[in-house]
Amino acid sequence: MTFSEFLSDRMEQIIRKLATAGGSAFFLLACGTQPGVILLLFTILLLVQLFALILEFQRCRSRLAELEAVLQGLDQKYLFAECAPLPRTCYEKRLFALMRRAGRSMTSAVSDAQTSQKEYREYVESWVHEIKTPITAARLICQTLEGEARRKLLAELTQIDAHVQRALFYARAESPEKDFLIQKTPLASLVAAAIQEHQALLIQNNIRLETKDLEHEVYTDRKWAIFVLGQLLQNSSRYRSETPFIILEALHLGNQIQLLVRDNGIGIPSHELARVCQRGFTGTNGRSRGGSTGMGLYLCQKLCGFLEIDFSISSEEGTGTTVLLTFPAKKNLTKL
């Protein structure tokens, strides 16, 4: 609070006091009091009021600084009214009482929302595990089929399974700390597992894969990293060119390992590149080819952020897209 703001809040009070002092001066003048005496009294009164205002300003500013320090020290800011120092005036008592009532109401609402969110997340996870049974059964039934029908049905089941996995990881992304384990993992095994999971999709789209220098070890959560790589492979398959290929190459960056995932697909328009990781953004390519949810890259960036993997994407329309994953060095990890 500045002194000008303080005066602005008390302007009505100041004007009322000045009007009272002016009326008193006219009354004394009418009663025959010497003008010099009246001026002296008015000056003394003005100085006393100014000194009182300065003291009140200092007291208010000190009080606000005390309350601000309490607020800054709280992790849960909505508990401020419960943790604030004892009120000094009746007005503060009433004000803090209202704040506590509002805080308790908000705490109850937050608790209800967290409970509902937890129940929904648990339901989604349960549904995902249940839906895998009919998907597996459908895959077994496909084994009895032959030719093009079998290939197409397996490809569709792969897409269904990918959507199910995306829903599961989206639910878990709200509280990722409950389901991850950072450990040293061979990069080649992560890439191989992701390719194996999406083998049918890659074969169906005649995509040529090339891997380079993957004999390194990185610090990450195996399950989450495989999911991220799978999303990148799916995107490259969906937005492929006529003669598609995907290159997965490891690079050294000091103590860190980078994984380059590059394709020669249709690319991303330059004006959309900054938005491709936003939740629900499908873009021109997603709308033209259909089936896009706008969640794949959003989840990749969100999960990479929690795993402390630097995620960057570059693209040129008509040429291809490159995603660079920079895995953290062990000494830089805060979640190990």
Side-chain angles (χ1 to χ4, degrees):
M1 172 186 285
T2 63
F3 190 64
S4 60
E5 292 172 337
F6 174 79
L7 290 178
S8 177
D9 284 345
R10 284 158 180 76
M11 188 57 65
E12 183 179 349
Q13 177 184 353
I14 293 172
I15 292 174
R16 187 166 56 249
K17 288 182 177 180
L18 289 175
T20 302
S24 299
F26 280 115
F27 177 75
L28 292 174
L29 188 62
C31 291
T33 306
Q34 293 295 325
V37 175
I38 296 174
L39 181 61
L40 179 62
L41 290 174
F42 189 83
T43 302
I44 293 173
L45 178 63
L46 182 63
L47 290 175
V48 170
Q49 291 297 325
L50 180 60
F51 182 71
L53 281 173
I54 292 175
L55 285 180
E56 187 180 359
F57 168 69
Q58 294 292 347
R59 186 168 58 251
C60 289
R61 189 167 67 171
S62 176
R63 180 63 169 171
L64 286 175
E66 181 185 11
L67 296 176
E68 179 71 20
V70 172
L71 180 64
Q72 292 299 324
L74 292 174
D75 291 331
Q76 298 174 321
K77 307 297 185 186
Y78 57 86
L79 296 177
F80 168 72
E82 303 292 339
C83 303
L86 292 175
R88 297 177 180 175
T89 64
C90 291
Y91 175 76
E92 278 194 2
K93 288 180 181 178
R94 294 296 183 89
L95 182 61
F96 279 23
L98 290 174
M99 291 173 61
R100 288 189 184 96
R101 287 169 57 187
R104 291 182 188 123
S105 176
M106 186 174 65
T107 302
S108 177
V110 169
S111 178
D112 291 343
Q114 289 177 339
T115 300
S116 298
Q117 186 181 47
K118 179 182 177 182
E119 292 174 351
Y120 175 74
R121 185 170 58 252
E122 290 175 348
Y123 168 74
V124 170
E125 292 183 8
S126 174
W127 176 84
V128 167
H129 291 301
E130 290 176 1
I131 202 66
K132 285 184 177 180
T133 301
I135 291 176
T136 302
R139 288 184 185 278
L140 293 174
I141 294 174
C142 283
Q143 302 302 319
T144 63
L145 302 177
E146 295 182 358
E148 187 68 11
R150 175 182 175 178
R151 187 183 64 80
K152 289 184 177 180
L153 188 54
L154 281 173
E156 293 301 323
L157 287 173
T158 299
Q159 288 296 313
I160 293 173
D161 191 51
H163 286 302
V164 169
Q165 288 294 328
R166 195 175 296 119
L168 176 62
F169 277 88
Y170 179 74
R172 290 178 175 174
E174 299 303 316
S175 55
E177 67 280 354
K178 297 180 180 179
D179 183 43
F180 82 105
L181 176 62
I182 300 293
Q183 57 186 353
K184 183 187 288 188
T185 307
L187 181 59
S189 70
L190 296 178
V191 172
I195 293 174
Q196 179 64 33
E197 284 189 5
H198 299 84
Q199 184 177 17
L201 179 65
L202 297 171
I203 293 175
Q204 179 189 9
N205 292 293
N206 298 315
I207 295 178
R208 178 173 60 87
L209 280 172
E210 183 178 345
T211 59
K212 297 181 180 180
D213 303 324
L214 299 181
E215 300 304 318
H216 303 282
E217 292 185 321
V218 296
Y219 289 91
T220 190
D221 179 275
R222 178 178 176 82
K223 178 171 58 178
W224 288 22
I226 291 173
F227 172 79
V228 170
L229 291 176
Q231 295 302 302
L232 299 180
L233 292 177
Q234 287 182 50
N235 276 4
S236 295
S237 300
R238 179 182 297 276
Y239 305 114
R240 64 192 179 277
S241 63
E242 293 297 327
T243 56
F245 69 80
I246 302 174
I247 297 175
L248 298 100
E249 179 180 4
L251 306 171
H252 268 289
L253 182 65
N255 294 325
Q256 298 174 309
I257 299 297
Q258 295 181 314
L259 178 63
L260 196 71
V261 183
R262 184 170 71 247
D263 64 48
N264 65 335
I266 61 176
I268 303 169
S270 57
H271 65 279
E272 295 180 356
L273 191 58
R275 301 179 59 195
V276 292
C277 292
Q278 294 179 1
R279 182 174 62 177
F281 180 75
T282 56
T284 304
N285 295 336
R287 289 188 290 272
S288 63
R289 300 214 168 184
S292 176
T293 62
M295 298 300 294
L297 289 178
Y298 164 76
L299 284 174
C300 287
Q301 188 179 62
K302 187 178 182 69
L303 296 180
C304 282
F306 191 80
L307 294 174
E308 302 182 40
I309 297 173
D310 184 66
F311 180 93
S312 63
I313 182 170
S314 59
S315 184
E316 184 176 345
E317 193 171 9
T319 301
T321 300
T322 299
V323 175
L324 186 63
L325 304 177
T326 304
F327 291 87
K330 183 179 181 180
K331 65 178 182 180
N332 297 332
L333 275 169
T334 62
K335 300 183 176 73
L336 187 61

